[in-house]
Amino acid sequence: MTKTLTALMLLLASPASAAAVDEFRAGNWAAAIRDGRAENSVDSLVLAGRAQLSIAGYQTDSKDRALALVAAAEKDFDMALSRAPTNVEAQLQKAIAIAYRAQLTRGIGLAKETRRRFEAIRAAHPDNSLVWGALGGWHGGAVATVGSFLAGTALGAKKSEMERCYAQALKLAPGLPSTRVFFAITLLDLDAGNSARAAGLLKGLDALPAQDGFEAMLKRQGLELAAVLAKGDKAVAQATARRLKAFARIA
């Protein structure tokens, strides 16, 4: 009896496992994957997938490993969508995963599919700042990668659309760190001469709250970039921005 009571008291005194949302908020990607799959809800599966995309994009230096993580993330998003086909976050993250595959494989078809998915989500949810930002990144990233002419002819990507999409994203959610950081990085990736605009976007970033581990990571990146921009060397600022992009670790 005494042993049973002791065991029960120890059990009650031990902290319960954190939920996937708590692990994701803290930026504990591996734990968010584990707990998200264990909880097996639509929301937790999306978090598990997002955590895998975070590892693939920002902590992996192997292309094969990154592709495997993206594929596993897509399975989590697909499972979430099989249960909740209209879940906007699952739809958006699935599209981002496809964008990651397109980037890693230089797949034109995948890039076009990404755009179609983003535009479909935007049409259904025009007040969603994240999809506007994702489309801004898609247009800007395509132009930065292959140049305005090829991006326009092969993909229909335009700098003007990048500007319009990011402007709307900022209008809808001006206090979201990730949108400001992604826009600043995209501008510098396109042209080192955009340094002043990038610095303006990052002004006051330190005062903006980060809602989760991903936002916190982007905020840290933005503050690092802002410090470099403050020194006035445009070439170094551009190099820093490119180093902070997803998959920059992969040669």
Side-chain angles (χ1 to χ4, degrees):
M1 182 66 173
T2 301
K3 289 183 179 180
T4 302
L5 287 173
T6 301
L8 180 59
M9 289 174 67
L10 287 172
L11 179 62
L12 292 173
S14 301
S17 297
V21 67
D22 296 320
E23 299 290 6
F24 193 89
R25 188 179 295 118
N28 298 328
W29 306 136
I33 297 166
R34 179 198 64 214
D35 293 348
R37 288 175 173 168
E39 291 166 27
N40 200 31
S41 69
V42 170
D43 290 342
S44 71
L45 286 168
V46 171
L47 289 176
R50 288 187 65 194
Q52 287 170 103
L53 293 186
S54 297
I55 296 172
Y58 298 97
Q59 297 180 357
T60 304
D61 57 10
S62 161
K63 180 180 176 180
D64 289 342
R65 173 63 174 153
L67 282 169
L69 284 162
V70 172
E74 284 197 69
K75 288 182 180 180
D76 289 330
F77 300 140
D78 287 341
M79 187 174 294
L81 287 168
S82 71
R83 300 177 190 173
T86 60
N87 185 285
V88 181
E89 189 172 11
Q91 291 175 349
L92 181 58
Q93 295 301 324
K94 170 70 175 181
I96 290 171
I98 295 171
Y100 275 13
R101 273 201 288 137
Q103 184 176 345
L104 287 165
T105 63
R106 298 300 178 97
I108 293 177
L110 290 173
K112 290 180 177 179
E113 181 183 352
T114 299
R115 180 183 176 182
R116 287 194 296 269
R117 285 176 178 260
F118 283 155
E119 289 179 343
I121 298 168
R122 181 180 64 180
H125 305 278
D127 59 344
N128 187 304
S129 70
L130 295 177
V131 73
W132 280 98
L135 266 168
W138 184 90
H139 281 278
V143 173
T145 300
V146 299
S148 295
F149 179 76
L150 284 177
T153 54
L155 298 171
K158 301 176 182 178
K159 278 195 226 179
S160 59
E161 275 300 290
M162 174 205 73
E163 295 277 3
R164 185 175 80 89
C165 290
Y166 269 127
Q168 184 64 12
L170 288 171
K171 180 180 178 181
L172 290 168
L176 198 62
S178 60
T179 302
R180 293 179 173 275
V181 176
F182 279 134
F183 193 8
I185 288 175
T186 303
L187 285 171
L188 285 167
D189 194 22
L190 286 166
D191 189 343
N194 287 325
S195 292
R197 288 190 65 195
L201 284 165
L202 300 175
K203 186 177 181 180
L205 183 66
D206 56 335
L208 298 180
Q211 299 175 353
D212 56 37
F214 186 75
E215 286 290 323
M217 179 185 72
L218 266 293
K219 182 176 176 177
R220 289 192 298 272
Q221 287 189 346
L223 292 173
E224 178 183 348
L225 183 57
V228 174
L229 284 163
K231 296 178 181 178
D233 191 322
K234 296 179 181 180
V236 174
Q238 184 179 61
T240 301
R242 288 173 173 171
R243 177 173 56 78
L244 295 173
K245 289 170 57 180
F247 304 113
R249 293 169 178 253
I250 297 175

